[in-house]
Amino acid sequence: MRVGIGLPNTIPGVDGPVLVDWARRADAGPFSTLAVLDRLAYDSIEPFAALAAAAGVTKRAGLATMIAIGPLRNTALLVKQAVSVDALSGRRLTLGLAVGARLDDYETAGVEHRGRGARLSEQLATLRDGDDLGVRPNLRLLVGGMTGPAFARMARYADGYAHNGGPPRAFARAADSARAAWSDLGRPGRPVLWGQGYFALGDEEAGATYLRDYYAFTGPFAEKIAAGNLTSARAIRDFVRGYAEAGCDELILFPTVADLEQLDRLAEVVS
Amino acid sequence: MRVRIVGAGPAGLYLAVLLKKADPSHDVEVVERNLPDATFGWGVVFSEGTLGELRDADPETHVEITDTFARWPTVDIRYRGRLLRSRGHAFSAIGRRRLLQIMQRRALGLGVGLRFETEVSDVNGLAAEADLLVGADGVNSLVRRTYAAEFGEQVAPQGCKYVWFGTDLVLDAFTFIFKRTDAGIVQVHAYPFDERTSTWIVECPETTWRGLGFDAMNEGESLAACEALFADELRGHHLLSNRSLWTSFPLVRNDTWHRPGIVLLGDAAHTAHFSIGSGTKLAMEDAIALSQALVRHPRDIERALLDYELERQPVIERFQQAAGESAAYFTRVERYAHMDPMPFAFNLLTRSGRVTHANLAQRDPQFVRVLDAWFPGGGLLEPGAVAPPPLFAPWKAGAVELRNRVVRASAEPDRLPALARSGAGLVVAGPVAVTLDARISPDTPTLDDDASAAAWAALVDDVHAARAAAAVSLTHAGRRGSTRPPTHGADVPLRDGGWPLVAPSPIAYAPRMPVPRAMDAGDMARVGQAFAAAARRAAGAGFDMLEVDMGHGYLLASFLSPASNRREDEYGGELVGRLRFPLEVLDAVRQGWPEDRPLAVRLNVMDGTRRGLQLGEGIAIAGDLAEHGCGLIHVVAGQTVPEAAQADYRRGFLTPLADRVRAEARVPTLVGGYITTPDEANTLLGAGRADLCLLDVPDTDLERELVAAAGEEVAAAMAVA
């Protein structure tokens, strides 16, 4: 299993220099991939813009959206953004897409929430069929989501599955569903499986405050997500081992505190 | 810490005991509206796993509880006049009243305040005067209802109608009784809990309940009626009532079990259907988890409540899942009433998914040996006979005998011999297109001329050389044709070199897919002839079995489904119309296929969307296909439309569907659906949910797993034979 790190693009107050420094230092570290989250109605940096900035200061690490909310975006522009980041980075993009969980992102974008799944499928079909739009045929696509239709969509159009976080056993269950859907759709081999988790090494309270705020829309669930924040080297090692055992191919650890020291500490733990 | 607990049931009292024990300075009071010795119901069951936890949490009560326990290792199943016994289990039970007495005494000894006959009217007020208010007030919890919206309360009836009696008949086993009546089967769950009394729960589906007139009876009348119904089994003993009234089991779930300063425990937070006997166990484990969380976070109650919920919720979800399967099983027992006693009993024991062939073999090797010996012969039991597990039993249909029930499939012809060598009894080549324009993608193999038939014949020889049988799955892609190879995705249209698509109605399958042409009479005749010709070539190539593909939205499946068939001629409309063309094709294939070789259909038994084919119709279709000579239904579902809302990719997701087809249409079934271990396969085959199992394991693991599962003797026998 490979381990990547998140860019702090959805932590409020993060500015360009922090993001760019973070990317540069992560590229020099033991991380396989730099990944971003996506939120429209929240103090954050747009995921493709963040990856474009990261592309300019990195050479090695993969770049990934984990995930981007496809249906918020016009399909042609989404494809253009993805193709552009892929070109700027020298073909290092992995494009993860899902419908997202927040109604207010849709309201802010002026996009109907209803029909979001079918629209995401159209976007994926376009990306898969998109040689004329400049999409390279082997651009790696991931799809996220926990519903039956989401797994079917993943197996139909993508190369793998992007899980939305949680303890290893939750990942293992979703991984089973992803493999089951893959086989049901007649795809050869197995889907690539990506997982994610949150960490804060040292400033536990700031991390929890951010997660409670970021996930406030989930109601009581926000507390549980905050409680799952990995706040010690041991917790991270257990988590990494649990995901590896559950068959995860690439695990992204997202920061909850946008301090470069966090990155260095994580590098020590995972290297 | 000031703690107020509403409800003096096992959960509330046990929590009070554990909190007071952990810190005698806690001010703990339990408020109960009933008298100390008032209780509903009779005995409660525990599993051995719980007992260890009780011992660790409070040795004093553990000793008292276990001293009064009734314990037994046996499950008795009374069915069709037969008694089947399964041993090696570890049940224990205690009278509910006795359990409460032990808890009450212990609580009082530790200085817990107990206020009986005290009705709580003001939950908010009680919460305000405590650091922590605990709702341990059972399934109808007032505390939960007070904050129903915050907790995200969901309550719904689950399973059969049931009534909880006692009896003075002292049983020596957990006893299931299945009693046939004119109105349907009525079943009993009974177990001893002290030296004088047993619990005796009677249940049946609501239609049976009405049919027997229970809906119009009062407490005394229904007791008398149940006593009469089970007179033989009660052997002159009586049923006892304790406000024993017929009811439906309420399934309680909540999005969260806590809010600031308030927490739910046991049945107030969650219920699990009584047929897995876990309610009291879960409630007492909740009490242990909550008390430990409060010890871990003495100054942070909110964090403790969160920890408690994080620890318990996944456990509860697992039990609720198993309990749901169990409750559902008992509602459909009627459908299994044709089964022989052995598979019937094994199906019962494995109903919730917690007992499997492998772990039952550990607990009760004799029972599993008898099941395995029964399995291939269907009733021929030779004393002392040792047979391999169900997956390795042969399967016979017509002139074809499979050496085991392992089925493997591949879309790549070249892989078939390797699959056969890996130990499978049957390898399926497919999908194989009946003509070039019936292909799914350019990669789809065809069986449309003599040259391709010769190539297939060579492959079949290789499969036979590995002592496996070979099947071919013949398809026409319909509106899902002309796509890029599956390595690139599914339903991604070919840009260059594509071919025109046909379908019952001109509706594109997925985004960017072309609109197919609606088939006319000439098209249908040509497709029917192509299937028949392919069947003749398949027979000539030596295939042992032929499967006609009516699944996953390909051409024939798209005729079956109202979501894709909008025709207004005799090939559309009602089911009889939608089934017409697929049946014509099956009949044409039957003509070209030898009588003595099995003919299978890969059938979508439901589409998983509201406007698509429903399971009831799918089962009816399976019956019709059987009448037209189909001897095996390969059960699949979904993919008729790409965005099927009810798609559910759980492990073994097709097994419940195969079970229903087999039980209701009485056709043998082949099932896949991400079954990855021989144990899963042995369990579903032994329980009669399917006849053949399509295993989904990485090729490299298969041989090792099969050999391990079969046991060394069988592996040796296979190698020698």
Side-chain angles (χ1 to χ4, degrees), chain B residues 358-425:
Chain B
N359 63 32
L360 191 62
Q362 293 272 324
R363 294 184 201 191
D364 190 354
Q366 176 60 21
F367 185 94
V368 170
R369 196 147 58 227
V370 173
L371 174 80
D372 291 350
W374 170 87
F375 187 78
L380 295 170
L381 285 179
E382 290 171 37
V386 176
L391 188 55
F392 300 97
W395 186 76
K396 204 168 156 36
V400 174
E401 179 165 339
L402 309 184
R403 62 177 163 153
N404 61 43
R405 314 284 179 115
V406 180
V407 181
R408 308 238 35 218
S410 178
E412 298 162 52
D414 295 346
R415 289 186 54 219
L416 297 172
L419 292 180
R421 285 192 295 273
S422 79

Side-chain angles (χ1 to χ4, degrees), chain B residues 395 397 400 402 426-429 432 434 447 469-475 530-550 556 585-594 596-602 629-634 670:
Chain B
W395 186 76
V400 174
L402 309 184
L426 176 68
V427 296
V428 183
V432 174
V434 292
L447 182 44
V472 61
S473 184
L474 293 180
T475 198
F531 268 95
R536 277 191 298 274
R537 290 197 171 95
F543 280 106
D544 305 284
M545 190 190 295
L546 186 143
E547 176 179 275
V548 177
D549 187 3
M550 301 188 192
L556 299 180
V585 171
L586 183 67
D587 290 343
V589 165
R590 182 79 271 180
Q591 296 304 312
W593 183 248
D596 59 349
R597 292 190 219 173
L599 179 57
V601 172
R602 179 172 180 265
C630 164
L632 179 73
I633 298 289
H634 174 183
L670 159 63

